Amino acid sequence: MSLALEEARLAASEGEVPIGAVIVRENEVIARSHNMPVDRHDPTAHAEILAIREAAEKMKNYRLTGMTLYVTLEPCIMCAGAILQARLKRLVYGTGDPKGGAVDSLYRLLQDSRLNHFVEVTGGVLQASCAEILSGFFREKRVTSPLLKSEGQVKS
């Protein structure tokens, strides 16, 4: 998860929402990435999707069986679907996403018995650090937003 946090910090430094992802197989890092939808003009350029794409290319296989995905924020519906399609063995995430989480918060897609794949899930790993990088990013956005300042919505 520490490597995923490094990726999240990189995303923040690029002005992207600070989410990082790392895919590991037998203690070897196969792929790592961070959010890039703004830079790539691509709504699918979430950290998880980019890491899955990189790992699949590196492994020359769209199935990533036996691998673990570490991500700083609970995946959304799109990313949970990609995790299922990639047949990842395990997901480890840092902090939950009460507004969009598709693993534990809003939905439980990775444990849905109606689907053809089951993913082991561990949540809350380095939760405080993962939550703080996100809340700090958005706090800074609110403070520096010219729109909010002009409307008098920023509270010191």
Side-chain angles (χ1 to χ4, degrees):
M1 189 60 75
S2 296
L3 295 176
L5 278 164
E6 285 179 16
E7 288 291 328
R9 287 184 199 94
L10 186 55
S13 75
E14 296 170 359
E16 300 278 2
V17 174
I19 300 170
V22 177
I23 296 178
V24 175
R25 180 184 68 180
E26 298 174 4
N27 295 319
E28 176 191 359
V29 174
I30 303 299
R32 56 190 290 171
S33 194
H34 57 275
N35 266 16
M36 290 191 244
V38 175
D39 181 61
R40 293 191 177 189
H41 312 289
D42 179 359
T44 69
H46 289 197
E48 303 95 319
I49 299 291
L50 297 174
I52 288 169
R53 287 177 182 160
E54 181 183 327
E57 182 65 30
K58 185 174 183 178
M59 303 310 295
K60 304 289 185 221
N61 194 336
Y62 71 103
R63 299 283 169 99
L64 303 176
T65 56
M67 296 187 198
T68 299
L69 169 64
Y70 293 85
V71 64
T72 55
L73 181 68
E74 177 185 0
C76 68
I77 293 170
M78 176 182 68
C79 293
I83 290 165
L84 289 167
Q85 293 300 316
R87 302 298 193 268
L88 286 161
K89 178 181 180 181
R90 185 171 177 231
L91 167 71
V92 178
Y93 70 88
T95 193
D97 183 358
K99 293 183 179 179
V103 177
D104 286 318
S105 296
L106 293 178
Y107 307 100
R108 294 178 154 278
L109 290 178
L110 303 186
Q111 291 89 27
D112 191 323
S113 62
R114 297 169 295 179
L115 299 175
N116 62 347
H117 183 64
F118 178 84
V119 179
E120 298 170 28
V121 175
T122 304
V125 175
L126 296 181
Q127 190 277 334
S129 297
C130 293
E132 177 51 38
I133 194 168
L134 283 161
S135 60
F137 176 81
F138 288 112
R139 185 171 42 252
E140 180 63 25
K141 287 285 185 198
R142 284 190 301 274
V143 168
T144 60
S145 170
L147 179 61
L148 291 177
K149 281 183 177 179
S150 67
E151 295 175 1
Q153 295 179 18
V154 175
K155 295 181 179 161
S156 301

